[in-house]
């Protein structure tokens, strides 16, 4: 039985990856951090919690990472843990740099000291590019122009992974993944924010939702498809970097229009723009070219944009209906505060 360690196992990708690897017969270890309120709902939702080994560790605590590698003795490490929300990286740029940037070096150092034969996956991102010419989708050789503290920290993570690969001969890969979504996506990200709001509004639980830049365009795929690509990267003879995307770009407005129309509503009656959800800098347009992943790994996306919209709003609607029927089950949305309570840094400046 192969052993694997996943950092960020409580997040969207970590949960789906853990399920994928358990189904492949792996013994799965994950690191989690102590929080005042436990955050295992995704692992419980996928019904895999009891099949995992969990080790307490934190990206800012080097000793805890070394210990995690010692305890789990993995053949593969998937490094998914990060402060992953771009908007928050403007609010908390220094802790984002610590966790999303330096955290990568801490885990690479832990591997280098304990066993350099461990294969390593770094969760790199399309945010590295920052800018996409509309006539040419982005590929592994496209220039990087980060537009946020999050993207700058990820740029550091990208290069330190490359440096450990070249400098120490470690098997270390960057998966440059474009946005990927699912019913397990965090509620602060725009797709789930909209699917959750459309579901609630259709059931009479809410009237409207406030968002930021409706014109931003993203290349959105389905998270379970994308975690498979992570595993594929670590099964090759040689380590390399890969773009994982759908080669299609859609606007936030289009997502809103489709998600509300799935529940029989017009988004223009319910979606408002509030400047607090604008970012000091935003990435306007992203589209990725996944040719290399297709040709070398045999990877391709299975779920298209329309199906992604449908499955997300259907899942949220079903969960709210179960909640209305008094059922109890692991789920994030019941505890989520109304978004108007969040004050952004830009809004605080104008007060
Ligand atoms: P996510 O849902 O936000 O999950 C992030 C995970 O990191 C959570 O398990 C979180 O733990 C953990 N974490 C954060 N800070 C930590 C710390 N100091 N110590 C230990 N663990 C910590 O993110 P995701 O969507 O699954 O994304 C996974 C990775 O891929 C991230 O690195 C993200 O930046 C990157 N990425 C995501 C996308 C995308 O579209 N989803 C695209 C490209 C790259 P808690 O549960 O305790 O908060
Ligand atoms: O924003 C716009 C927003 O927060 C997408 C992370 O997983 O993918 C994710 O980063 C777009 C942006 O994702 C709202 O301005 C409008 O242009 O869902 P998002 P993201 O910033 O693209 C990349 C690949 C990662 O690596 C990250 O970890 O939508 N937008 N109105 C809004 N976004 C949010 N969150 N909320 C709004 O109200």
């Amino acid at each position: 039985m192969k052993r694997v360690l996943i950092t960020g196992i409580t997040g969207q990708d970590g949960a789906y990856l853990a399920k994928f690897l358990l189904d492949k017969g792996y013994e799965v270890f994950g690191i989690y951090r102590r929080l005042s309120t436990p955050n295992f709902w995704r692992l419980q939702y996928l019904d895999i919690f009891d099949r995992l080994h969990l080790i307490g560790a934190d990206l800012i605590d080097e000793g805890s990472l070394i210990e995690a590698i010692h305890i789990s003795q993995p053949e593969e490490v998937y490094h998914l843990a990060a402060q992953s929300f771009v908007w928050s990286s403007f609010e908390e740029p220094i802790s984002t740099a610590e966790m999303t940037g330096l955290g990568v070096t801490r885990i690479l150092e832990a591997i280098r000291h304990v066993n350099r034969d461990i294969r390593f996956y770094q969760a790199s991102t399309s945010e590295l590019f920052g800018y996409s010419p509309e006539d040419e989708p982005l590929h592994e050789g496209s220039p990087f122009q980060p537009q946020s503290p999050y993207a700058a920290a990820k740029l550091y993570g990208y290069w330190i992974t490359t440096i450990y690969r070249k400098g120490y001969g470690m098997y270390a890969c960057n998966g440059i993944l474009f946005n990927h979504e699912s019913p397990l996506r965090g509620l602060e990200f725009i797709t789930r924010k909209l699917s959750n709001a459309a579901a609630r509004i259709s059931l009479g639980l809410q009237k409207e939702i406030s968002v930021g830049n409706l014109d931003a365009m993203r290349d959105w795929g389905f998270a379970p498809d994308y975690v498979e690509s992570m595993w594929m990267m670590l099964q090759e003879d040689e380590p390399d970097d890969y773009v994982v995307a759908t080669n299609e770009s859609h606007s936030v407005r289009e997502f809103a229009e489709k998600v509300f129309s799935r529940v029989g509503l017009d988004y223009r009656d319910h979606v408002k723009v509030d400047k607090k959800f604008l970012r000091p800098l935003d990435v306007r347009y992203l589209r990725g070219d996944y040719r290399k992943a297709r040709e070398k790994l045999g990877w391709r996306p299975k779920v298209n944009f329309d199906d992604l919209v449908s499955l997300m709003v259907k899942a949220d609607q079903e969960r709210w209906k179960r909640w209305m029927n008094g059922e109890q089950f692991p789920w994030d949305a019941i505890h989520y505060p109304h978004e108007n309570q969040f004050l952004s840094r830009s809004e605080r400046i104008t007060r």
Side-chain angles (χ1 to χ4, degrees), residues 87-116:
W87 187 85
S88 287
S89 79
F90 286 102
E91 312 273 300
E92 295 156 25
I94 293 171
S95 63
T96 300
E98 269 291 346
M99 292 187 276
T100 306
L102 273 181
V104 187
T105 310
R106 292 199 187 94
I107 187 101
L108 280 166
E109 276 291 281
I111 292 172
R112 190 173 74 84
H113 284 295
V114 178
N115 173 10
R116 351 183 138 177

Side-chain angles (χ1 to χ4, degrees), residues 169-317:
M170 286 167 57
Y171 191 109
C173 300
N174 282 292
I176 309 172
L177 272 51
F178 282 59
N179 299 53
H180 44 279
E181 319 294 314
S182 74
L184 300 189
R185 185 58 143 152
L187 281 158
E188 65 275 41
F189 299 95
I190 190 65
T191 53
R192 179 87 196 290
K193 180 171 172 177
L194 288 168
S195 68
N196 184 56
R200 281 174 57 85
I201 292 167
S202 72
L203 295 168
L205 296 168
Q206 183 176 328
K207 285 198 165 48
E208 58 181 40
I209 181 80
S210 301
V211 303
N213 181 7
L214 281 166
D215 297 320
M217 296 186 72
R218 290 291 183 275
D219 180 331
W220 277 300
F222 183 45
D225 288 353
Y226 283 43
V227 300
E228 185 175 12
S229 77
M230 300 174 184
W231 174 77
M232 286 171 155
M233 287 177 213
L234 296 202
Q235 311 312 309
E236 289 294 290
D237 290 339
E238 298 296 330
D240 207 344
D241 304 327
Y242 298 89
V243 159
V244 175
T246 69
N247 210 344
E248 277 182 33
S249 193
H250 302 269
S251 66
V252 172
R253 188 185 308 281
E254 196 180 341
F255 195 98
E257 190 270 325
K258 282 186 191 281
V259 89
F260 276 84
S261 78
R262 294 290 189 280
V263 293
L265 298 172
D266 186 333
Y267 84 98
R268 290 169 296 188
D269 297 332
H270 303 283
V271 177
K272 311 287 168 219
V273 172
D274 182 330
K275 68 178 189 328
K276 92 168 95 173
F277 296 110
L278 298 174
R279 298 166 185 187
L281 268 180
D282 199 7
V283 175
R284 190 183 65 81
Y285 175 92
L286 286 175
R287 180 160 74 101
D289 176 355
Y290 65 92
R291 197 172 337 179
K292 180 173 168 185
R294 189 184 65 224
E295 287 171 0
K296 281 190 71 179
L297 306 176
W299 181 88
R300 61 177 67 239
K302 296 183 193 115
V303 173
N304 67 26
F305 180 70
D306 278 3
D307 292 342
L308 176 67
V309 174
S310 298
L311 70 84
M312 286 184 71
V313 72
K314 187 164 175 267
D316 276 319
Q317 227 183 9

